Amino acid sequence: KDFEQLDGFYYKERKEDKESINVLQKTIDCLLGGISLYGFLNKIMRDMISGKHNRSNGLFNMVKIQKSLDIYKTGRTDMKEKATERLWLLYKEGQNISRELKRTGAENKIDRIAYKMLSSLRVRDSKSFYDTMLRLYMNLGREVPATFLETFSPDSVLDAESLGYAFLTGLLGKEYSEHKEKGGNSNE
């Protein structure tokens, strides 16, 4: 189902490019080549911030696909459902933070915060990522959700990358409608 939701989702690396990249095909190519999807996802999200690419919720499916693959590689397939549930909670938390920033008139901070978090994730600097996230929650006067803190546990099904990208796809994505949450096409 995650792959199906990427079908029809295209991406142009540069506006002047005549041809678009089929995100589903690129996802499959990365997986078959043993390349993490997070690098491609980071590039798309940076382009979303700079306005080169439309915001979409289809990117969350890439996070779920990558995390599923990571779980299968470790042999802990019994953890897939729990990981997917946690990723969904993080995605929704990103949407909640986005709504709160918009409600308080701080919408202009979303892209700056997201860019800083993406930079941290790109170089795998989880300390900087968590620092930015903690500052965000402190500035909003909100408690940090337990799902974020769970990654510090040795039994955690999530790592900083999957956590970060799930949160950021929610923060930067379009608002899901009720229909889309129940399995509708998220690429509209």
Side-chain angles (χ1 to χ4, degrees), residues 37-78:
L37 294 175
Y38 293 137
F40 182 51
L41 185 58
N42 194 295
K43 173 122 179 70
I44 293 173
M45 294 175 84
R46 285 172 176 273
D47 287 350
M48 286 169 48
I49 292 169
S50 68
K52 294 182 201 170
H53 187 63
N54 294 332
R55 299 192 181 224
S56 170
N57 291 320
L59 301 178
F60 178 64
N61 295 308
M62 291 174 68
V63 177
K64 291 192 307 184
I65 290 167
Q66 182 63 55
K67 189 60 194 171
S68 294
L69 180 64
D70 293 344
I71 288 171
Y72 285 119
K73 284 180 179 177
T74 65
R76 296 177 61 189
T77 55
D78 57 315

Coordinates of all heavy atoms in Angstrom, one line a residue, residues 37-78:
L37 N 16.7 5.5 1.5 CA 15.7 6.5 1.0 C 15.9 7.9 1.6 O 15.4 8.9 1.1 CB 14.3 6.1 1.1 CG 13.9 4.8 0.4 CD1 12.5 4.4 0.7 CD2 14.0 5.1 -1.1
Y38 N 16.5 8.0 2.8 CA 16.6 9.2 3.5 C 17.4 10.3 2.7 O 17.0 11.5 2.9 CB 17.2 9.0 4.9 CG 16.3 8.2 5.8 CD1 16.8 7.2 6.6 CD2 14.9 8.4 5.8 CE1 16.0 6.4 7.4 CE2 14.1 7.6 6.6 CZ 14.7 6.6 7.4 OH 13.9 5.9 8.3
G39 N 18.4 10.0 2.0 CA 19.1 11.0 1.2 C 18.2 11.6 0.1 O 18.2 12.9 0.0
F40 N 17.4 10.8 -0.6 CA 16.5 11.3 -1.6 C 15.4 12.1 -0.9 O 15.0 13.2 -1.4 CB 15.9 10.1 -2.4 CG 15.0 10.5 -3.5 CD1 15.3 11.5 -4.4 CD2 13.8 9.9 -3.6 CE1 14.5 11.8 -5.5 CE2 12.9 10.2 -4.6 CZ 13.2 11.2 -5.6
L41 N 14.9 11.6 0.2 CA 13.8 12.3 0.9 C 14.3 13.6 1.4 O 13.6 14.6 1.4 CB 13.4 11.4 2.1 CG 12.3 11.8 3.0 CD1 11.0 12.0 2.2 CD2 12.0 10.8 4.1
N42 N 15.5 13.7 1.9 CA 16.1 15.0 2.4 C 16.2 16.0 1.3 O 15.8 17.1 1.5 CB 17.5 14.7 3.0 CG 18.0 15.8 3.8 OD1 18.3 16.9 3.3 ND2 18.2 15.6 5.1
K43 N 16.6 15.5 0.1 CA 16.7 16.4 -1.1 C 15.3 17.0 -1.4 O 15.1 18.2 -1.7 CB 17.3 15.7 -2.3 CG 17.2 16.5 -3.5 CD 18.6 16.7 -4.1 CE 18.6 17.5 -5.4 NZ 18.3 18.9 -5.3
I44 N 14.3 16.1 -1.5 CA 12.9 16.6 -1.8 C 12.4 17.6 -0.8 O 11.8 18.6 -1.2 CB 12.0 15.4 -1.9 CG1 12.3 14.5 -3.1 CG2 10.5 15.8 -2.1 CD1 11.5 13.2 -3.2
M45 N 12.6 17.3 0.5 CA 12.1 18.1 1.5 C 12.8 19.5 1.5 O 12.2 20.5 1.7 CB 12.3 17.5 2.9 CG 11.4 16.2 3.0 SD 11.6 15.3 4.5 CE 10.5 16.3 5.5
R46 N 14.1 19.5 1.2 CA 14.8 20.8 1.1 C 14.3 21.6 -0.1 O 14.1 22.8 0.0 CB 16.3 20.6 0.8 CG 17.1 20.1 2.1 CD 18.5 19.7 1.7 NE 19.3 19.4 2.9 CZ 19.9 20.3 3.6 NH1 19.9 21.5 3.3 NH2 20.6 19.9 4.7
D47 N 13.9 20.9 -1.2 CA 13.3 21.6 -2.3 C 11.9 22.1 -2.0 O 11.5 23.1 -2.5 CB 13.3 20.7 -3.5 CG 14.7 20.5 -4.2 OD1 15.6 21.3 -3.8 OD2 14.8 19.7 -5.1
M48 N 11.2 21.4 -1.1 CA 9.9 21.8 -0.7 C 10.0 23.1 0.1 O 9.3 24.1 -0.1 CB 9.2 20.8 0.2 CG 8.7 19.6 -0.5 SD 8.2 18.2 0.5 CE 7.2 19.0 1.8
I49 N 11.0 23.2 1.0 CA 11.3 24.4 1.8 C 11.6 25.6 0.9 O 11.1 26.7 1.1 CB 12.4 24.2 2.8 CG1 11.9 23.2 3.9 CG2 12.8 25.5 3.5 CD1 13.0 22.7 4.8
S50 N 12.4 25.4 -0.1 CA 12.9 26.5 -1.0 C 11.8 26.8 -2.0 O 12.0 27.8 -2.8 CB 14.2 26.1 -1.7 OG 14.0 25.1 -2.6
G51 N 10.7 26.1 -2.1 CA 9.6 26.4 -3.0 C 9.8 25.8 -4.4 O 9.0 26.0 -5.3
K52 N 10.8 24.9 -4.6 CA 11.0 24.3 -5.9 C 10.0 23.1 -6.1 O 9.9 22.5 -7.2 CB 12.4 23.8 -6.0 CG 13.5 24.8 -6.0 CD 14.8 24.2 -6.2 CE 15.9 25.1 -5.8 NZ 17.2 24.3 -5.7
H53 N 9.4 22.6 -5.0 CA 8.6 21.4 -5.1 C 7.4 21.6 -4.2 O 7.4 22.2 -3.1 CB 9.4 20.2 -4.6 CG 8.7 18.9 -4.8 ND1 8.4 18.4 -6.0 CD2 8.3 18.0 -3.9 CE1 7.8 17.2 -5.8 NE2 7.7 17.0 -4.6
N54 N 6.2 21.2 -4.7 CA 5.0 21.3 -3.9 C 5.0 20.4 -2.7 O 5.6 19.3 -2.7 CB 3.8 20.9 -4.8 CG 3.5 21.8 -5.9 OD1 3.9 23.0 -5.8 ND2 3.0 21.3 -7.0
R55 N 4.3 20.9 -1.6 CA 4.3 20.1 -0.4 C 3.3 18.9 -0.6 O 2.3 19.1 -1.2 CB 3.8 21.0 0.7 CG 4.9 22.1 0.9 CD 4.8 22.8 2.1 NE 5.8 23.9 2.1 CZ 6.6 24.2 3.1 NH1 6.4 23.6 4.3 NH2 7.5 25.1 3.0
S56 N 3.7 17.8 0.0 CA 2.9 16.6 -0.2 C 3.0 15.7 1.0 O 4.0 15.7 1.7 CB 3.4 15.8 -1.5 OG 2.9 14.6 -1.6
N57 N 2.0 14.9 1.1 CA 2.0 13.9 2.2 C 2.6 12.5 1.7 O 2.8 11.6 2.5 CB 0.6 13.7 2.8 CG 0.2 14.9 3.6 OD1 1.0 15.5 4.2 ND2 -1.0 15.3 3.4
G58 N 2.8 12.4 0.5 CA 3.3 11.1 -0.1 C 4.7 10.7 0.5 O 5.0 9.6 0.5
L59 N 5.4 11.7 1.0 CA 6.7 11.5 1.5 C 6.7 10.6 2.7 O 7.7 9.9 3.0 CB 7.5 12.8 1.7 CG 7.6 13.7 0.5 CD1 8.3 15.0 0.9 CD2 8.4 13.0 -0.6
F60 N 5.7 10.7 3.5 CA 5.6 9.9 4.7 C 5.7 8.4 4.4 O 6.3 7.6 5.1 CB 4.3 10.2 5.5 CG 4.1 9.4 6.7 CD1 5.0 9.5 7.8 CD2 3.1 8.5 6.8 CE1 4.9 8.7 8.9 CE2 2.9 7.7 8.0 CZ 3.8 7.8 9.0
N61 N 5.2 8.0 3.2 CA 5.2 6.6 2.8 C 6.6 6.1 2.6 O 7.0 5.0 2.9 CB 4.4 6.4 1.6 CG 2.9 6.6 1.8 OD1 2.4 6.1 2.7 ND2 2.3 7.5 1.0
M62 N 7.5 7.0 2.1 CA 8.9 6.7 2.0 C 9.6 6.4 3.3 O 10.4 5.5 3.4 CB 9.7 7.8 1.2 CG 9.2 8.0 -0.2 SD 10.0 9.4 -1.0 CE 11.7 8.9 -1.0
V63 N 9.2 7.1 4.3 CA 9.7 6.9 5.7 C 9.3 5.5 6.2 O 10.1 4.8 6.7 CB 9.3 8.0 6.7 CG1 9.8 7.7 8.1 CG2 9.7 9.4 6.2
K64 N 8.0 5.2 6.0 CA 7.5 3.9 6.4 C 8.2 2.7 5.6 O 8.5 1.7 6.2 CB 6.0 3.8 6.2 CG 5.2 4.7 7.2 CD 3.8 4.4 7.2 CE 3.1 4.4 5.9 NZ 1.6 4.2 5.9
I65 N 8.4 2.9 4.3 CA 9.1 1.9 3.5 C 10.5 1.7 4.0 O 10.9 0.6 4.2 CB 9.0 2.3 2.0 CG1 7.6 2.2 1.5 CG2 10.0 1.4 1.2 CD1 7.4 2.9 0.1
Q66 N 11.2 2.8 4.2 CA 12.6 2.6 4.7 C 12.7 2.0 6.1 O 13.5 1.1 6.3 CB 13.3 4.0 4.7 CG 14.8 3.9 5.2 CD 15.7 3.2 4.2 OE1 15.7 3.5 3.0 NE2 16.3 2.2 4.7
K67 N 11.8 2.4 7.0 CA 11.8 1.8 8.3 C 11.5 0.3 8.2 O 12.1 -0.5 8.9 CB 10.9 2.5 9.3 CG 11.0 2.1 10.7 CD 12.5 2.4 11.2 CE 12.8 1.7 12.5 NZ 14.2 1.7 12.8
S68 N 10.5 -0.1 7.4 CA 10.2 -1.5 7.3 C 11.3 -2.3 6.8 O 11.6 -3.4 7.3 CB 9.0 -1.6 6.3 OG 7.8 -1.0 6.8
L69 N 12.1 -1.7 5.8 CA 13.2 -2.4 5.3 C 14.3 -2.6 6.4 O 14.9 -3.6 6.5 CB 13.8 -1.7 4.1 CG 15.1 -2.3 3.4 CD1 14.7 -3.6 2.8 CD2 15.6 -1.3 2.4
D70 N 14.5 -1.5 7.1 CA 15.5 -1.6 8.2 C 15.1 -2.6 9.2 O 16.0 -3.4 9.7 CB 15.6 -0.2 8.9 CG 16.2 0.9 8.1 OD1 16.8 0.6 7.0 OD2 16.0 2.1 8.4
I71 N 13.8 -2.8 9.5 CA 13.4 -3.8 10.5 C 13.6 -5.2 9.9 O 14.1 -6.1 10.6 CB 11.9 -3.5 10.9 CG1 11.8 -2.3 11.8 CG2 11.3 -4.7 11.5 CD1 10.4 -1.8 12.0
Y72 N 13.3 -5.4 8.7 CA 13.5 -6.7 8.1 C 14.9 -7.1 8.0 O 15.3 -8.2 8.2 CB 12.9 -6.7 6.6 CG 11.4 -6.8 6.7 CD1 10.6 -5.8 6.1 CD2 10.7 -7.9 7.3 CE1 9.2 -5.9 6.1 CE2 9.3 -8.0 7.3 CZ 8.6 -7.0 6.7 OH 7.2 -7.0 6.8
K73 N 15.8 -6.1 7.9 CA 17.3 -6.4 7.8 C 17.7 -6.9 9.2 O 18.7 -7.7 9.3 CB 18.1 -5.2 7.5 CG 18.0 -4.8 6.0 CD 18.8 -3.6 5.7 CE 18.9 -3.2 4.3 NZ 19.6 -2.0 4.0
T74 N 17.1 -6.4 10.3 CA 17.5 -6.8 11.6 C 16.9 -8.1 12.0 O 17.2 -8.7 13.0 CB 17.2 -5.7 12.7 OG1 15.7 -5.6 12.7 CG2 17.8 -4.4 12.4
G75 N 15.9 -8.6 11.3 CA 15.2 -9.8 11.7 C 14.1 -9.6 12.7 O 13.5 -10.6 13.2
R76 N 13.9 -8.4 13.1 CA 12.8 -8.1 14.2 C 11.5 -7.7 13.5 O 10.9 -6.7 13.8 CB 13.3 -6.9 15.0 CG 14.6 -7.2 15.8 CD 15.1 -6.0 16.6 NE 14.1 -5.6 17.6 CZ 14.1 -4.5 18.3 NH1 15.2 -3.7 18.1 NH2 13.2 -4.2 19.1
T77 N 11.0 -8.6 12.6 CA 9.8 -8.3 11.9 C 8.6 -8.2 12.8 O 7.6 -7.5 12.4 CB 9.5 -9.4 10.8 OG1 9.5 -10.7 11.5 CG2 10.6 -9.4 9.8
D78 N 8.6 -8.7 14.0 CA 7.5 -8.5 14.9 C 7.4 -7.1 15.4 O 6.3 -6.7 15.9 CB 7.7 -9.4 16.1 CG 9.1 -9.2 16.9 OD1 10.1 -9.0 16.2 OD2 9.0 -9.1 18.1

